[in-house]
Amino acid sequence: MMILVLAGTSDARELAIGIRSAGYEVLTTVVTESAAKSMDAEGLPVLIGRLTAEAMKQLIEERGIRIVADATHPFAEEASKNAMAAAELADVPYVRFERQSLSIEQGALVTTVEDYKQAAELAADKKGNIMLTTGSKTLKIFADRLVGLPDTRLIARMLPRQDNMEKCDELGIDQKNIVAMQGPFSKELNKALYAHYNVTLMITKESGKVGAVDEKLEAALEMGIPSIVIGRPSLAYGDYYSDFAGVIQYINERIQKET
């Protein structure tokens, strides 16, 4: 009985291991080579690449997938939509695992916005030395609004990948304004980076505890640096759990119903 796990994060890997330990075959899918290596290291079968809903439906049917477990990043909205659509087309159950949201207290130093565009507009109003910690996928939204703006320096923190560096070059972000590092980052390292770049505004997204958003915010708060937090997309997932045990229990119950 094979379970498809849409993965790519550290907690998704742990969920896949848990499902395998519960006695099921597991097939994982990821987007990057780096994520695939972490699956390989645990002996988890893995496919690399983005899947459309139709391609995922075909995969479900070809591999005899019984349940789709979506454990993609909280901001991988398109992947989740495709997974839900594919499960419906293939007539198999879909279950969502998502790390628990953090309770972020609003105040003079923390502002939560609905999306990246709102964050970019608010940052443009504030100006100063802005550290962007939301990754490369939406970098263009911020670069188009902030690069070249008077009294504004955009510092982009992202994974040290060649395509990311090429994207920065295309968007006019100087090398001196790129922090190419792989996290997670401790509060102490965040504070050191903020101090080094004399950061006056930090932008992050509400990824949850595993995404280390709390370390970013705690470091900024302790240094008196204002932060913009982008809220999670709101999707109607249906069956949804924020703990591994809930997902595994759901799988057990669905499989028992079918047998």
Side-chain angles (χ1 to χ4, degrees), residues 209-247:
K209 175 65 178 175
V210 180
V213 68
D214 50 346
E215 280 83 359
K216 296 178 196 177
L217 278 175
E218 285 178 16
L221 287 169
E222 287 183 13
M223 295 177 72
I225 298 170
S227 299
I228 297 173
V229 180
I230 301 162
R232 292 185 185 183
S234 179
L235 290 181
Y237 291 114
D239 292 292
Y240 170 105
Y241 300 91
S242 57
D243 63 295
F244 300 155
V247 175

Side-chain angles (χ1 to χ4, degrees), residues 131 133-134 202-206 213 216-217 228-230:
M131 180 166 281
T133 68
T134 58
M202 189 272 290
I203 303 174
T204 187
K205 54 190 179 184
E206 203 288 277
V213 68
K216 296 178 196 177
L217 278 175
I228 297 173
V229 180
I230 301 162

Side-chain angles (χ1 to χ4, degrees), residues 5 10 36 47 59 74 91 97 107 119 134 193 211 221 231 242 248 251:
V5 180
S10 58
L47 297 176
L59 176 66
D91 195 25
F97 166 80
T134 58
L193 288 170
L221 287 169
S242 57
I248 294 168
I251 292 171

Side-chain angles (χ1 to χ4, degrees), residues 12 46 86 104 136 190 212:
V46 60
I104 297 172
S136 63
N190 277 306

Side-chain angles (χ1 to χ4, degrees), residues 186-214:
S186 66
K187 182 171 68 173
E188 290 71 24
L189 181 52
N190 277 306
K191 291 175 78 169
L193 288 170
Y194 297 160
H196 179 76
Y197 288 95
N198 192 26
V199 170
T200 60
L201 177 68
M202 189 272 290
I203 303 174
T204 187
K205 54 190 179 184
E206 203 288 277
S207 300
K209 175 65 178 175
V210 180
V213 68
D214 50 346

Side-chain angles (χ1 to χ4, degrees), residues 134-151:
T134 58
S136 63
K137 190 175 177 182
T138 55
L139 179 60
K140 188 176 189 302
I141 296 171
F142 294 95
D144 286 351
R145 190 68 183 88
L146 301 172
V147 171
L149 194 68
D151 303 317

